[in-house]
Amino acid sequence: MVLSDEATRFVRAAGPEHTEVQERMAALARERRFPNIGPDAGGVLRMVARLTGAETVFEFGSGFGYSASWFLRGGADRVVLTEFDEDELERGEEFLTEAGLADCCQFEHGDALAAVERYDGPFDVVLVDHQKERYEDAFHSVAPKVAEGGVVVADNIMYGPIDFHSLLAHMEGEPRAIDIDDEPSRGVACYLDAVRDDPAFETLVLPVGSGLAVSTKVEETGDRSDPVDT
Ligand SMILES: C[S@@+](CC[C@H](N)C(=O)[O-])C[C@H]1O[C@@H](n2cnc3c(N)ncnc32)[C@H](O)[C@@H]1O
């Protein structure tokens, strides 16, 4: 965890509670040691869906539907779930059926990067939560399909299968801070560089859960001049 223990406890104590079905999803995740996004980051997904009035959400890496359930709690009309583990996706369909939410879901078995090509968008919210070394590819493939005012959220920016301290050194400008063989950390670093360099998006990192990068699309093209400078 990236926050101090007490700050993490505070965020958890003041954060949202699970529904009954989400509690069973979380229990399965604990049993299988499956890395779902957790309730605090889930609360951010719910808020982003609510604030964007999300009609369509696209997920890269859905597991058994836990993150999708938070978008749906935030009022999203439709979530496209992608997952290359068929058993996980089927379990997700069962859970979301039990929650009465499956009619709002489209289940895509297979590679998320192939699935996104079958959709034109617009997407109001996107979750990037699959292989870290493919985060940047996911961003480039989906960015043109994100609605203006839409949001791309990426998980595991500060915690997970990445090396926090080498990523921190990279963000602070240290050259070659990340080991050449550390593909997940390099993947997250390349993702952060790409979203922060894209003038169509405004990005910040929230130290919630495993760390979220939240990027809002502020315009369709990349020729915005920053009003602060004019
Ligand atoms: C971190 S888990 C996702 C957790 C989920 N978003 C949640 O919070 O419940 C990552 C999932 O992405 C899946 N995955 C990884 N790469 C993928 C890809 N290229 N296409 C589809 N699924 C992928 C894995 O099988 C795994 O279930």
Side-chain angles (χ1 to χ4, degrees):
M1 200 46 62
V2 288
L3 298 179
S4 73
D5 285 351
E6 284 196 328
T8 301
R9 278 172 51 203
F10 194 108
V11 170
R12 180 75 301 274
E17 299 301 328
H18 283 143
T19 63
E20 188 268 326
V21 173
Q22 285 180 323
E23 189 49 47
R24 285 194 280 119
M25 290 172 158
L28 182 64
R30 284 193 295 275
E31 181 188 315
R32 294 188 182 174
R33 297 179 157 273
F34 180 83
N36 72 20
I37 202 158
D40 301 324
V44 174
L45 303 187
R46 180 178 67 169
M47 178 183 72
V48 168
R50 187 76 69 197
L51 291 179
T52 57
E55 290 180 12
T56 305
V57 175
F58 188 94
E59 291 194 329
F60 290 85
S62 296
F64 40 81
Y66 179 84
S67 46
S69 72
W70 283 101
F71 285 125
L72 292 161
R73 278 184 72 182
D77 292 325
R78 181 170 79 125
V79 179
V80 181
L81 294 89
T82 68
E83 178 52 61
F84 60 28
D85 182 319
E86 196 167 10
D87 292 341
E88 277 176 25
L89 196 63
E90 282 177 9
R91 193 70 193 90
E93 188 164 359
E94 287 166 15
F95 275 131
L96 292 163
T97 300
E98 288 158 22
L101 297 170
D103 288 350
C104 304
C105 299
Q106 211 140 342
F107 298 92
E108 294 278 0
H109 174 228
D111 185 3
L113 279 117
V116 75
E117 297 305 323
R118 297 194 286 274
Y119 289 81
D120 293 332
F123 302 125
D124 304 292
V125 186
V126 173
L127 176 66
V128 180
D129 194 15
H130 61 314
Q131 298 142 298
K132 310 309 150 202
E133 54 276 25
R134 296 178 80 194
Y135 270 27
E136 186 186 359
D137 289 346
F139 176 68
H140 289 309
S141 67
V142 83
K145 301 178 184 182
V146 176
E148 198 170 331
V151 178
V152 182
V153 180
D155 191 31
N156 295 117
I157 297 302
M158 300 169 77
Y159 183 80
I162 51 107
D163 180 48
F164 173 78
H165 289 102
S166 61
L167 256 172
L168 172 61
H170 172 83
M171 297 314 295
E172 290 181 339
E174 185 181 318
R176 295 178 296 284
I178 301 176
D179 193 297
I180 191 92
D181 297 324
D182 183 355
E183 290 186 8
S185 299
R186 293 175 71 81
V188 169
C190 290
Y191 177 83
L192 285 171
D193 292 347
V195 292
R196 294 176 76 242
D197 284 351
D198 190 330
F201 287 83
E202 292 175 344
T203 295
L204 91 166
V205 171
L206 297 179
V208 175
S210 298
L212 301 173
V214 181
S215 305
T216 308
K217 191 169 188 181
V218 291
E219 61 177 32
E220 282 303 329
T221 58
D223 57 0
R224 175 176 56 110
S225 56
D226 192 329
V228 170
D229 294 335
T230 57

